[in-house]
Amino acid sequence: MEGFFFVNKFYIYIADFIEQGYLLMANEDIISIVDYHLQKWMGAEGNKLPTEIDSLMADPDQNPKEEWRTWFPINSRVTDSEISEFEDRIGHVLPADYITFLKHKHFYELNISEASFCEHPVFTWRKSLSEMIFDGYPKEFLIERGLIPFANWSDWGHLCFDTSGKNSDHNYRIVIWDHEIPYDNQFFASDFKTSMIKLDKQDRESCGDKE
């Protein structure tokens, strides 16, 4: 009997080890993809907007009279309590991979392939994401059907978490929602990590960058 419990604990340990290893690899994939595309955006001098920028992200040396303000991505200050409060507001638990994304960098623009992610400023990220979810397209087409948008798709829709399926681990599949056919969602990826890898591949191939 003691041998049985030893073997059982061993397999539990191995399963936990594999799970932790998977999470680590998932985190590294998401982080490297975000960093690459933010750097690419800044390299093209796309990190400028005709609007007020959070003080922690603004260029301190910029002439205050210039209309287009320069912003820089910074390490995320998102806390667990903020995540919990936001989950309570939308009525759904966020995927672990997406939380990794939220906790990595703050930015104003992140464009990968056809996806333009919701802006993620230091002080107003929850407001920005809430507006995309509740105040954009009619709620009856999105959040009330279990669809949580997190990025614009081209100029005609959203990338969304589809919470309507069976997701005991909250690792929702990703769908493309088209405002012209709001009840016919297009499957995009099995989860957030896979969607990031797919977007990154599409973007690099369209630019001729295979690395």
Side-chain angles (χ1 to χ4, degrees):
M1 190 59 114
E2 290 181 1
F4 169 79
F5 285 116
F6 174 79
V7 171
N8 195 38
K9 288 182 179 180
F10 174 76
Y11 280 114
I12 291 173
Y13 170 81
I14 292 297
D16 184 64
F17 180 80
I18 292 173
E19 179 180 4
Q20 293 302 317
Y22 169 80
L23 291 173
L24 180 60
M25 288 188 292
N27 291 353
E28 289 176 349
D29 284 335
I30 292 167
I31 288 169
S32 63
I33 289 170
V34 170
D35 287 347
Y36 171 82
H37 289 281
L38 285 176
Q39 189 62 43
K40 178 182 174 182
W41 192 243
M42 290 191 295
E45 297 186 352
N47 57 321
K48 295 181 180 181
L49 290 170
T51 188
E52 183 178 354
I53 302 298
D54 281 350
S55 59
L56 295 178
M57 301 175 67
D59 181 354
D61 299 322
Q62 186 173 10
N63 186 331
K65 294 183 179 180
E66 292 183 31
E67 179 184 1
W68 285 75
R69 312 304 298 168
T70 300
W71 60 269
F72 295 108
I74 64 171
N75 291 336
S76 177
R77 297 191 172 197
V78 173
T79 65
D80 289 337
S81 62
E82 288 175 339
I83 294 290
S84 295
E85 289 171 6
F86 188 76
E87 289 175 333
D88 289 342
R89 170 157 170 68
I90 65 175
H92 296 280
V93 176
L94 295 174
D97 290 343
Y98 185 58
I99 293 174
T100 294
F101 173 87
L102 294 175
K103 286 186 170 185
H104 178 48
K105 293 288 185 181
H106 287 294
F107 56 82
Y108 275 92
E109 292 181 295
L110 175 61
N111 303 305
I112 311 178
S113 186
E114 295 295 318
S116 299
F117 288 80
C118 181
E119 66 173 13
H120 191 49
V122 179
F123 302 114
T124 58
W125 70 269
R126 284 176 292 178
K127 179 177 180 293
S128 297
L129 198 49
S130 292
E131 288 176 351
M132 176 174 280
I133 295 171
F134 295 105
D135 302 327
Y137 291 106
K139 291 184 290 186
E140 59 265 30
F141 295 144
L142 291 163
I143 189 65
E144 292 180 2
R145 296 179 55 231
L147 298 179
I148 304 173
F150 58 85
N152 289 315
W153 185 260
S154 189
D155 60 353
W156 48 263
H158 285 309
L159 268 188
C160 304
F161 295 114
D162 182 3
T163 68
S164 63
K166 295 181 179 180
N167 297 287
S168 58
D169 58 355
H170 313 294
N171 211 18
Y172 317 114
R173 70 175 189 157
I174 309 301
V175 298
I176 299 173
W177 178 84
D178 184 343
H179 70 85
E180 293 187 348
I181 45 174
Y183 294 109
D184 186 16
N185 306 316
Q186 177 184 339
F187 175 82
F188 184 74
S190 58
D191 52 48
F192 183 74
K193 175 196 171 186
T194 306
S195 74
M196 291 293 286
I197 294 172
K198 184 174 180 178
L199 288 169
D200 178 61
K201 181 179 179 182
Q202 290 177 343
D203 190 278
R204 290 173 187 257
E205 288 179 346
S206 69
C207 298
D209 180 3
K210 300 298 179 63
E211 295 185 4

